[in-house]
Short mmCIF file of all heavy atoms in Angstrom, two decimals:
data_model
loop_
_atom_site.label_atom_id
_atom_site.label_comp_id
_atom_site.label_asym_id
_atom_site.label_seq_id
_atom_site.Cartn_x
_atom_site.Cartn_y
_atom_site.Cartn_z
N ARG A 1464 -10.83 2.45 -9.75
CA ARG A 1464 -10.97 2.34 -8.31
C ARG A 1464 -11.21 3.71 -7.67
O ARG A 1464 -10.76 4.74 -8.14
CB ARG A 1464 -9.72 1.68 -7.71
CG ARG A 1464 -9.58 0.20 -8.14
CD ARG A 1464 -8.68 -0.56 -7.19
NE ARG A 1464 -8.68 -1.98 -7.54
CZ ARG A 1464 -7.75 -2.57 -8.24
NH1 ARG A 1464 -6.75 -1.86 -8.72
NH2 ARG A 1464 -7.82 -3.85 -8.51
N ASP A 1465 -11.91 3.67 -6.53
CA ASP A 1465 -12.24 4.88 -5.77
C ASP A 1465 -10.99 5.31 -5.00
O ASP A 1465 -10.52 4.60 -4.11
CB ASP A 1465 -13.38 4.55 -4.81
CG ASP A 1465 -13.77 5.73 -3.95
OD1 ASP A 1465 -13.11 6.77 -4.01
OD2 ASP A 1465 -14.76 5.62 -3.20
N PRO A 1466 -10.40 6.48 -5.29
CA PRO A 1466 -9.17 6.90 -4.62
C PRO A 1466 -9.34 7.06 -3.12
O PRO A 1466 -8.40 6.80 -2.35
CB PRO A 1466 -8.82 8.23 -5.31
CG PRO A 1466 -10.10 8.71 -5.95
CD PRO A 1466 -10.85 7.47 -6.30
N ASP A 1467 -10.53 7.50 -2.68
CA ASP A 1467 -10.77 7.65 -1.24
C ASP A 1467 -10.80 6.29 -0.54
O ASP A 1467 -10.28 6.13 0.57
CB ASP A 1467 -12.06 8.40 -0.98
CG ASP A 1467 -11.99 9.87 -1.48
OD1 ASP A 1467 -10.86 10.40 -1.52
OD2 ASP A 1467 -13.04 10.44 -1.80
N GLU A 1468 -11.40 5.31 -1.22
CA GLU A 1468 -11.44 3.96 -0.64
C GLU A 1468 -10.03 3.37 -0.59
O GLU A 1468 -9.68 2.68 0.37
CB GLU A 1468 -12.35 3.05 -1.49
CG GLU A 1468 -12.34 1.59 -1.10
CD GLU A 1468 -12.83 1.31 0.31
OE1 GLU A 1468 -13.43 2.21 0.94
OE2 GLU A 1468 -12.61 0.18 0.80
N GLU A 1469 -9.22 3.64 -1.61
CA GLU A 1469 -7.85 3.17 -1.61
C GLU A 1469 -7.08 3.75 -0.42
O GLU A 1469 -6.30 3.07 0.23
CB GLU A 1469 -7.15 3.56 -2.91
CG GLU A 1469 -7.75 2.92 -4.16
CD GLU A 1469 -7.35 1.46 -4.28
OE1 GLU A 1469 -6.24 1.16 -4.74
OE2 GLU A 1469 -8.18 0.60 -3.92
N ARG A 1470 -7.32 5.03 -0.15
CA ARG A 1470 -6.64 5.67 0.98
C ARG A 1470 -7.07 5.04 2.30
O ARG A 1470 -6.24 4.81 3.19
CB ARG A 1470 -6.96 7.17 0.98
CG ARG A 1470 -6.32 7.93 2.12
CD ARG A 1470 -6.60 9.42 2.02
NE ARG A 1470 -6.04 9.97 0.80
CZ ARG A 1470 -4.74 10.23 0.61
NH1 ARG A 1470 -3.89 9.97 1.59
NH2 ARG A 1470 -4.31 10.71 -0.50
N ARG A 1471 -8.36 4.74 2.43
CA ARG A 1471 -8.83 4.11 3.65
C ARG A 1471 -8.21 2.72 3.82
O ARG A 1471 -7.92 2.28 4.94
CB ARG A 1471 -10.35 4.06 3.68
CG ARG A 1471 -10.99 5.44 3.89
CD ARG A 1471 -12.48 5.36 4.09
NE ARG A 1471 -13.21 5.13 2.85
CZ ARG A 1471 -13.63 6.11 2.04
NH1 ARG A 1471 -13.39 7.38 2.34
NH2 ARG A 1471 -14.29 5.82 0.92
N LEU A 1472 -8.04 2.01 2.70
CA LEU A 1472 -7.38 0.70 2.77
C LEU A 1472 -5.93 0.83 3.20
O LEU A 1472 -5.40 -0.03 3.91
CB LEU A 1472 -7.49 -0.01 1.41
CG LEU A 1472 -8.85 -0.59 1.06
CD1 LEU A 1472 -8.85 -1.10 -0.36
CD2 LEU A 1472 -9.24 -1.71 2.04
N ALA A 1473 -5.26 1.88 2.73
CA ALA A 1473 -3.88 2.13 3.15
C ALA A 1473 -3.82 2.32 4.66
O ALA A 1473 -2.93 1.80 5.34
CB ALA A 1473 -3.33 3.35 2.43
N TYR A 1474 -4.79 3.08 5.18
CA TYR A 1474 -4.86 3.30 6.62
C TYR A 1474 -5.10 1.99 7.36
O TYR A 1474 -4.46 1.70 8.38
CB TYR A 1474 -5.97 4.31 6.92
CG TYR A 1474 -6.26 4.47 8.39
CD1 TYR A 1474 -5.40 5.19 9.21
CD2 TYR A 1474 -7.42 3.93 8.95
CE1 TYR A 1474 -5.67 5.34 10.56
CE2 TYR A 1474 -7.70 4.07 10.29
CZ TYR A 1474 -6.82 4.77 11.11
OH TYR A 1474 -7.09 4.91 12.44
N VAL A 1475 -6.03 1.18 6.85
CA VAL A 1475 -6.30 -0.12 7.46
C VAL A 1475 -5.03 -0.97 7.49
O VAL A 1475 -4.68 -1.56 8.52
CB VAL A 1475 -7.42 -0.86 6.68
CG1 VAL A 1475 -7.47 -2.34 7.09
CG2 VAL A 1475 -8.76 -0.20 6.93
N ALA A 1476 -4.34 -1.03 6.35
CA ALA A 1476 -3.14 -1.87 6.26
C ALA A 1476 -2.07 -1.44 7.25
O ALA A 1476 -1.48 -2.27 7.98
CB ALA A 1476 -2.60 -1.84 4.83
N LEU A 1477 -1.80 -0.14 7.32
CA LEU A 1477 -0.76 0.36 8.20
C LEU A 1477 -1.09 0.12 9.67
O LEU A 1477 -0.19 -0.16 10.48
CB LEU A 1477 -0.54 1.86 7.97
CG LEU A 1477 0.21 2.23 6.68
CD1 LEU A 1477 0.08 3.73 6.43
CD2 LEU A 1477 1.68 1.83 6.79
N THR A 1478 -2.35 0.23 10.02
CA THR A 1478 -2.73 0.12 11.43
C THR A 1478 -3.00 -1.31 11.87
O THR A 1478 -3.48 -1.53 12.98
CB THR A 1478 -3.95 1.01 11.72
OG1 THR A 1478 -5.02 0.66 10.82
CG2 THR A 1478 -3.60 2.48 11.56
N ARG A 1479 -2.70 -2.30 11.02
CA ARG A 1479 -2.81 -3.70 11.47
C ARG A 1479 -1.58 -4.10 12.26
O ARG A 1479 -1.61 -5.13 12.95
CB ARG A 1479 -2.95 -4.65 10.27
CG ARG A 1479 -4.18 -4.49 9.38
CD ARG A 1479 -5.46 -4.39 10.14
NE ARG A 1479 -5.75 -2.99 10.47
CZ ARG A 1479 -6.64 -2.61 11.41
NH1 ARG A 1479 -7.29 -3.52 12.10
NH2 ARG A 1479 -6.83 -1.33 11.64
N ALA A 1480 -0.52 -3.33 12.20
CA ALA A 1480 0.73 -3.69 12.85
C ALA A 1480 0.79 -3.16 14.28
O ALA A 1480 0.56 -1.97 14.52
CB ALA A 1480 1.91 -3.15 12.06
N ILE A 1481 1.08 -4.04 15.23
CA ILE A 1481 1.20 -3.64 16.64
C ILE A 1481 2.59 -3.09 16.92
O ILE A 1481 2.74 -2.09 17.62
CB ILE A 1481 0.90 -4.85 17.56
CG1 ILE A 1481 -0.54 -5.34 17.35
CG2 ILE A 1481 1.13 -4.47 19.02
CD1 ILE A 1481 -0.84 -6.64 18.06
N GLU A 1482 3.62 -3.74 16.37
CA GLU A 1482 4.99 -3.36 16.70
C GLU A 1482 5.79 -2.82 15.50
O GLU A 1482 6.53 -1.86 15.63
CB GLU A 1482 5.74 -4.54 17.31
CG GLU A 1482 5.17 -4.95 18.66
CD GLU A 1482 5.94 -6.14 19.26
OE1 GLU A 1482 6.99 -6.53 18.68
OE2 GLU A 1482 5.48 -6.65 20.29
N GLN A 1483 5.65 -3.48 14.35
CA GLN A 1483 6.50 -3.11 13.21
C GLN A 1483 5.73 -3.29 11.90
O GLN A 1483 5.09 -4.31 11.69
CB GLN A 1483 7.75 -3.98 13.17
CG GLN A 1483 8.68 -3.72 12.00
CD GLN A 1483 9.34 -2.35 12.07
OE1 GLN A 1483 10.19 -2.10 12.91
NE2 GLN A 1483 8.94 -1.44 11.21
N VAL A 1484 5.83 -2.26 11.03
CA VAL A 1484 5.22 -2.37 9.71
C VAL A 1484 6.31 -2.10 8.66
O VAL A 1484 7.17 -1.23 8.83
CB VAL A 1484 4.03 -1.40 9.56
CG1 VAL A 1484 4.46 0.04 9.71
CG2 VAL A 1484 3.33 -1.60 8.22
N THR A 1485 6.24 -2.86 7.58
CA THR A 1485 7.23 -2.74 6.51
C THR A 1485 6.50 -2.57 5.17
O THR A 1485 5.61 -3.36 4.84
CB THR A 1485 8.11 -4.01 6.43
OG1 THR A 1485 8.71 -4.25 7.70
CG2 THR A 1485 9.17 -3.86 5.37
N ILE A 1486 6.84 -1.54 4.43
CA ILE A 1486 6.28 -1.28 3.11
C ILE A 1486 7.36 -1.58 2.07
O ILE A 1486 8.50 -1.14 2.21
CB ILE A 1486 5.82 0.18 2.97
CG1 ILE A 1486 4.66 0.46 3.93
CG2 ILE A 1486 5.41 0.49 1.54
CD1 ILE A 1486 4.26 1.92 3.99
N THR A 1487 6.99 -2.32 1.03
CA THR A 1487 7.96 -2.62 -0.03
C THR A 1487 7.35 -2.32 -1.40
O THR A 1487 6.14 -2.32 -1.56
CB THR A 1487 8.44 -4.08 0.02
OG1 THR A 1487 7.31 -4.94 -0.11
CG2 THR A 1487 9.15 -4.38 1.32
N TRP A 1488 8.21 -2.10 -2.36
CA TRP A 1488 7.80 -1.88 -3.75
C TRP A 1488 8.92 -2.35 -4.66
O TRP A 1488 10.03 -2.62 -4.17
CB TRP A 1488 7.48 -0.40 -4.00
CG TRP A 1488 8.62 0.53 -3.69
CD1 TRP A 1488 8.98 1.05 -2.48
CD2 TRP A 1488 9.57 1.05 -4.63
NE1 TRP A 1488 10.10 1.85 -2.60
CE2 TRP A 1488 10.48 1.86 -3.92
CE3 TRP A 1488 9.74 0.90 -6.01
CZ2 TRP A 1488 11.53 2.53 -4.53
CZ3 TRP A 1488 10.79 1.56 -6.63
CH2 TRP A 1488 11.67 2.38 -5.88
N CYS A 1489 8.66 -2.50 -5.92
CA CYS A 1489 9.73 -2.88 -6.85
C CYS A 1489 9.69 -2.08 -8.13
O CYS A 1489 8.69 -1.45 -8.47
CB CYS A 1489 9.73 -4.38 -7.13
SG CYS A 1489 8.17 -5.13 -7.48
N ASP A 1490 10.82 -2.08 -8.84
CA ASP A 1490 10.97 -1.30 -10.07
C ASP A 1490 10.19 -1.87 -11.24
O ASP A 1490 9.74 -1.15 -12.11
CB ASP A 1490 12.46 -1.20 -10.45
CG ASP A 1490 13.28 -0.41 -9.46
OD1 ASP A 1490 12.78 0.62 -8.98
OD2 ASP A 1490 14.42 -0.82 -9.17
N PHE A 1491 10.06 -3.22 -11.25
CA PHE A 1491 9.39 -3.89 -12.36
C PHE A 1491 8.38 -4.92 -11.83
O PHE A 1491 8.72 -5.69 -10.94
CB PHE A 1491 10.41 -4.61 -13.26
CG PHE A 1491 11.41 -3.70 -13.89
CD1 PHE A 1491 12.64 -3.49 -13.27
CD2 PHE A 1491 11.15 -3.05 -15.08
CE1 PHE A 1491 13.57 -2.63 -13.83
CE2 PHE A 1491 12.08 -2.19 -15.65
CZ PHE A 1491 13.30 -1.98 -15.02
N ARG A 1492 7.17 -4.87 -12.36
CA ARG A 1492 6.16 -5.85 -11.99
C ARG A 1492 5.32 -6.14 -13.23
O ARG A 1492 4.95 -5.24 -13.97
CB ARG A 1492 5.28 -5.35 -10.84
CG ARG A 1492 4.40 -6.46 -10.23
CD ARG A 1492 3.55 -5.93 -9.09
NE ARG A 1492 4.35 -5.41 -7.99
CZ ARG A 1492 4.85 -6.16 -7.01
NH1 ARG A 1492 4.63 -7.47 -7.00
NH2 ARG A 1492 5.57 -5.62 -6.05
N GLN A 1493 5.04 -7.41 -13.47
CA GLN A 1493 4.26 -7.84 -14.63
C GLN A 1493 4.83 -7.31 -15.94
O GLN A 1493 4.10 -6.83 -16.80
CB GLN A 1493 2.79 -7.46 -14.48
CG GLN A 1493 2.04 -8.33 -13.48
CD GLN A 1493 0.56 -8.27 -13.66
OE1 GLN A 1493 0.01 -7.30 -14.16
NE2 GLN A 1493 -0.13 -9.32 -13.23
N GLY A 1494 6.14 -7.33 -16.04
CA GLY A 1494 6.79 -6.98 -17.30
C GLY A 1494 6.91 -5.50 -17.57
O GLY A 1494 7.44 -5.10 -18.60
N GLY A 1495 6.45 -4.64 -16.67
CA GLY A 1495 6.53 -3.20 -16.89
C GLY A 1495 7.21 -2.49 -15.74
O GLY A 1495 7.24 -2.99 -14.62
N SER A 1496 7.76 -1.32 -16.03
CA SER A 1496 8.40 -0.53 -14.98
C SER A 1496 7.33 0.19 -14.16
O SER A 1496 6.24 0.47 -14.64
CB SER A 1496 9.37 0.48 -15.58
OG SER A 1496 8.68 1.38 -16.44
N THR A 1497 7.66 0.46 -12.93
CA THR A 1497 6.71 1.13 -12.06
C THR A 1497 7.46 2.09 -11.15
O THR A 1497 8.67 2.28 -11.28
CB THR A 1497 5.91 0.09 -11.23
OG1 THR A 1497 4.94 0.75 -10.45
CG2 THR A 1497 6.81 -0.72 -10.32
N MET A 1498 6.75 2.69 -10.22
CA MET A 1498 7.36 3.63 -9.29
C MET A 1498 6.62 3.53 -7.95
O MET A 1498 5.52 2.97 -7.89
CB MET A 1498 7.27 5.06 -9.83
CG MET A 1498 5.88 5.50 -10.17
SD MET A 1498 5.76 7.22 -10.74
CE MET A 1498 7.27 7.46 -11.60
#
């Protein structure tokens, strides 16, 4: 994936919220550990 395009998508996602935005992540996904 294009890292610059990923960053622009992050910006799009964050700016869809008018009042409140929540970011979540987890320690394990699809059987593997993550960060």
